[in-house]
Amino acid sequence: MTEADIKRKFNEALKLEKEGKISQAAKIYSEILGMNPKFQKAYLNLGALYSRTGDSENAIKTYQKALELGKTTELYYNLGVELYRLGSLDAAVKALKSSLELNKKYLNSHLLLAYCYKQLDRPDKSELYLKNAIKLDPKNKTAYAALATIYFDTEKWEQALAAANIAIQINPNDPRMEILMTEIHVKLGNYKQSFETLKKVTTTAQGFVQFNDSIKEAKQKPKPEEKVFFDNLEVLTRKKLDEFKNKLTLSKESPQDFEAPEAQDALDLSLMYLFHGDTERALKYLLYAQKNLQENPTSEIG
């Protein structure tokens, strides 16, 4: 088969790939490699198809064959991705570092190395590669979000807050980062900011809003079984709230004889109010629980 025929088949495989016909495209790439085992681009595309179908083992074999024909940054990176997916972290690190030897400014390799080192419990190395990524792309939301998480895990609260703030500036209304910020504020003792951030998340994040809307709808037009649930919930909430207020009053009046409500008491009330559709009260009791756990780290939640 001539070079022109092989090129035609390669373009046919590309077309099938774009149409989502993965198995047919893979078959043609394999046929091309049978006719021309030195067609590196076909190996690269075939490996990518194996990756898309979750077949990391065949993807790795294919990329390794491609590397025998010539080393490229992209090939080493793709190999690193598959090794990371299989949990072969040391091998993934080696492949990704090889990609950076060819192109030290390859952003994706820096990011994935950071994730590898996080899994290897090397936050110092993870931080290093995330900072490298930020130097290459100062507005990379993934790098800042990951950096905030690394700082949080290593109890560097001020640095975590700074990184999280930048991540949100780049990607506003990211519920995962906003929730992390609520945790950071609690660690710093900024309980008001924690509450305000949580309140914002519950009024803007799609999942929270949908949940709240479904609760309100169910309360407005309840089915018989739903009416029983809400009636029972009302009774239980009042009882739990009375118990909570009594504990709080007694602990303030006579702290040497009575303990304040525990985190579990507040969490129970928070959940009850959440199912009432009263998000603000739910958050207030959640915040009480967070504060209690922060001040009494040995407290247990059942």
Side-chain angles (χ1 to χ4, degrees):
M1 187 172 285
T2 66
E3 187 176 334
D5 290 331
I6 290 176
K7 188 174 181 180
R8 178 183 55 77
K9 286 184 76 69
F10 184 79
N11 289 333
E12 182 185 345
L14 285 175
K15 183 173 179 291
L16 289 167
E17 198 175 330
K18 288 179 182 177
E19 293 171 355
K21 298 175 181 177
I22 305 301
S23 59
Q24 291 170 260
K27 183 179 179 183
I28 292 177
Y29 285 132
S30 296
E31 289 173 2
I32 291 170
L33 290 168
M35 294 179 283
N36 182 2
K38 293 186 178 181
F39 196 158
Q40 190 182 51
K41 185 64 176 174
Y43 279 116
L44 182 62
N45 288 16
L46 180 59
L49 290 182
Y50 283 133
S51 178
R52 283 172 64 180
T53 58
D55 189 351
S56 289
E57 290 187 2
N58 272 322
I60 289 168
K61 290 176 184 176
T62 305
Y63 290 140
Q64 286 172 334
K65 286 180 181 177
L67 282 166
E68 291 173 8
L69 300 174
K71 297 174 174 57
T72 71
T73 300
E74 186 180 8
L75 271 171
Y76 273 123
Y77 170 73
N78 289 351
L79 180 60
V81 169
E82 301 309 320
L83 290 166
Y84 176 80
R85 285 175 176 170
L86 289 179
S88 302
L89 298 175
D90 290 329
V93 166
K94 185 178 179 181
L96 293 166
K97 284 187 175 180
S98 294
S99 76
L100 291 178
E101 286 174 7
L102 297 173
N103 180 4
K104 64 181 180 180
K105 293 185 177 181
Y106 196 70
L107 176 65
N108 288 339
S109 289
H110 286 284
L111 288 171
L112 189 53
L113 272 166
Y115 282 104
C116 286
Y117 279 118
K118 187 176 188 300
Q119 295 291 325
L120 289 166
D121 199 22
R122 289 292 307 276
D124 55 330
K125 287 281 192 179
S126 187
E127 179 185 359
L128 171 66
Y129 282 101
L130 287 172
K131 286 183 173 179
N132 288 346
I134 289 167
K135 286 178 184 176
L136 294 169
D137 180 7
K139 292 187 177 181
N140 191 287
K141 62 182 181 182
T142 301
Y144 275 110
L147 192 59
T149 304
I150 292 292
Y151 286 143
F152 184 85
D153 291 343
T154 52
E155 301 184 1
K156 297 176 181 177
W157 313 126
E158 295 286 356
Q159 289 166 278
L161 183 61
N165 270 318
I166 297 173
I168 288 176
Q169 287 171 20
I170 297 169
N171 185 32
N173 300 321
D174 178 351
R176 293 171 301 174
M177 197 50 41
E178 288 181 322
I179 288 170
L180 179 65
M181 282 188 72
T182 69
E183 295 289 333
I184 297 169
H185 280 306
V186 167
K187 297 295 183 182
L188 289 169
N190 304 331
Y191 298 106
K192 184 178 179 181
Q193 290 95 322
S194 180
F195 174 75
E196 292 300 329
T197 305
L198 268 174
K199 188 176 176 181
K200 179 177 179 290
V201 174
T202 57
T203 55
T204 57
Q206 187 178 4
F208 284 108
V209 172
Q210 287 177 342
F211 174 78
N212 232 14
D213 289 346
S214 64
I215 291 292
K216 288 176 182 176
E217 185 180 343
K219 289 189 77 174
Q220 286 171 358
K221 298 178 180 178
K223 297 174 183 176
E225 64 275 16
E226 290 173 340
K227 188 175 186 308
V228 171
F229 169 79
F230 286 119
D231 288 345
N232 288 338
L233 181 63
E234 184 69 32
V235 173
L236 287 171
T237 305
R238 286 178 182 172
K239 181 181 177 183
K240 191 71 181 177
L241 184 59
D242 287 341
E243 290 174 358
F244 188 94
K245 287 181 176 179
N246 286 336
K247 282 185 180 180
L248 194 60
T249 301
L250 289 169
S251 68
K252 287 180 178 179
E253 291 177 351
S254 185
Q256 69 276 14
D257 297 322
F258 298 98
E259 292 183 353
E262 296 179 356
Q264 186 64 58
D265 296 317
L267 284 174
D268 290 343
L269 271 171
S270 178
L271 188 60
M272 288 175 178
Y273 278 118
L274 192 63
F275 279 99
H276 273 295
D278 191 339
T279 305
E280 188 159 337
R281 283 191 181 180
L283 292 179
K284 285 180 178 177
Y285 285 104
L286 177 60
L287 186 61
Y288 180 96
Q290 288 179 312
K291 185 177 180 180
N292 183 288
L293 289 170
Q294 178 71 8
E295 295 171 349
N296 304 284
T298 57
S299 298
E300 291 186 2
I301 294 179

